[in-house]
Amino acid sequence: MFRYAFAAVFALLGANVVAQDVTPTVFAPGVISGPLHDSAPAFTPDGRTVYFTRSEGTNSTILVSHLAQGRWSTPVTAPFSGQWSDMEPAMSPDGRFLVFISNRPKTPHGKPLDGFLMGRSFPERGGNLWKVTWDNGKWSAPVRLPDVVNGSDSTFAPSVAADGSLYFMHPAADPKHFRLFRAAWHRNGYEEPQALPFSDGHVTDVDPAVAPDESFVVFGSSRSPARGIDLFIVFRDNGEWGTPIHLGNGVNSAGSDAEARLSPDHQTLYFASDRMVDIAPGTVRADWDNGKYNIWQIPLAPWLAAHAKAAH
């Protein structure tokens, strides 16, 4: 009985109790978090290479940077990106493949994908899921994933579980909202995507970041008590998803906090935020600190520990 009572209190009070001392810090300021919009880091299993999205206007490119002697290298365009609007890379936990979003044509000589999201049309700003495979020390040519997971030309924000299952988002039945989906992977391919039970389409849910064992998901949402798009965490116990928990106003800002991503050991949460740093009067702001998306990070230990305690 105590276990269930603790779990109920944890879900009700959420991060305001378990994460009072968690303060987000910017990731690689001036190098990876720069003066443009930067988001969605995807790390290789050893944590020494990162792919991420850099956007300017309507154009997005996937960049890559390497960690050497404690410093991240100047990012360059990933070998599979640069011609079309590519974004939101997601690494498989074993590093064997990477899934990303692109507006590139479905077929040779076709036209870039149009998007329809939040109830509006966006010419050439759609997205489908594409995949590159690491083989012989380089990435393969991109391959579009099958229609079963690309049922919408406004499919975004992939995340890959250890068994190959895909999490992603596309518009709900009410096209003014996004909803989260999971497509299970089996030897013969992907199954029909199923909406995640905690994402019912009545509010906007975005950017799922799933733990490799699918024990939890961090995602962005407009649901209460979010002030804009805020970050939530939801746990899965005995095959059942629980109630999403708000990560608290110490982590979430008054603006947009989205594009959740996990470190290879899933102990650190990375996310994109348009927050700015509090600086003393007369201090010159860094070029990256300009109100555009930067990549921020927090430890997930407070939420993981609290959930483990509640479960036992």
Side-chain angles (χ1 to χ4, degrees):
M1 179 65 72
F2 176 78
R3 179 182 66 180
Y4 296 113
F6 188 98
V9 171
F10 177 46
L12 178 64
L13 298 180
N16 293 318
V17 171
V18 302
Q20 294 177 2
D21 298 325
V22 174
T23 301
T25 57
V26 70
F27 175 54
V31 180
I32 292 175
S33 292
L36 301 179
H37 288 282
D38 297 307
S39 62
F43 295 88
T44 52
D46 64 5
R48 301 187 64 82
T49 297
V50 63
Y51 297 83
F52 67 99
T53 306
R54 178 161 289 170
S55 301
E56 183 175 16
T58 60
N59 296 316
S60 296
T61 304
I62 295 174
L63 304 183
V64 58
S65 175
H66 304 281
L67 183 65
Q69 299 179 336
R71 295 175 177 267
W72 289 100
S73 65
T74 300
V76 298
T77 302
F80 51 84
S81 188
Q83 180 178 0
W84 309 102
S85 186
D86 302 324
M87 67 182 82
E88 300 177 329
M91 188 73 66
S92 66
D94 60 10
R96 295 178 62 185
F97 65 91
L98 181 147
V99 179
F100 66 100
I101 298 301
S102 182
N103 75 338
R104 63 188 65 198
K106 298 179 184 181
T107 58
H109 312 298
K111 63 183 295 293
L113 300 184
D114 295 330
F116 186 82
L117 45 147
M118 313 306 284
R120 296 173 53 199
S121 295
F122 291 85
E124 298 189 0
R125 295 180 64 183
N128 272 179
L129 296 157
W130 290 73
K131 176 181 176 180
V132 290
T133 302
W134 187 256
D135 188 31
N136 292 323
K138 63 180 182 180
W139 291 111
S140 67
V143 175
R144 181 179 176 271
L145 293 184
D147 288 345
V148 67
V149 294
N150 277 317
S152 167
D153 285 347
S154 298
T155 299
F156 301 102
S159 185
V160 186
D163 70 354
S165 296
L166 276 176
Y167 288 64
F168 53 89
M169 70 188 221
H170 66 65
D174 174 358
K176 293 183 179 180
H177 298 301
F178 275 102
R179 193 174 186 183
L180 305 183
F181 294 83
R182 175 184 183 268
W185 168 261
H186 295 293
R187 180 177 299 178
N188 295 326
Y190 294 104
E191 292 186 354
E192 186 72 26
Q194 302 296 316
L196 294 174
F198 55 83
S199 180
D200 63 12
H202 291 106
V203 296
T204 284
D205 295 326
V206 298
D207 308 334
V210 64
D213 63 359
E214 300 181 83
S215 59
F216 68 88
V217 169
V218 182
F219 65 102
S221 182
S222 64
R223 68 185 62 203
S224 180
R227 291 172 288 176
I229 293 293
D230 278 8
L231 295 165
F232 291 74
I233 189 169
V234 59
F235 292 93
R236 187 169 69 104
D237 294 300
N238 301 316
E240 298 291 333
W241 288 105
T243 300
I245 300 160
H246 188 246
L247 293 193
N249 291 336
V251 172
N252 289 300
S253 67
S256 176
D257 301 284
E259 296 284 4
R261 295 293 187 274
L262 301 177
S263 62
D265 64 1
H266 64 260
Q267 298 297 301
T268 301
L269 172 68
Y270 296 88
F271 62 96
S273 178
D274 57 10
R275 71 189 66 202
M276 296 176 69
V277 176
D278 291 331
I279 61 173
T283 303
V284 177
R285 285 194 179 274
D287 288 345
W288 62 267
D289 186 20
N290 59 7
K292 295 182 180 180
Y293 263 171
N294 289 124
I295 299 171
W296 295 75
Q297 59 188 5
I298 57 167
L300 279 175
W303 294 274
L304 303 182
H307 179 74
K309 185 175 181 180
H312 295 87

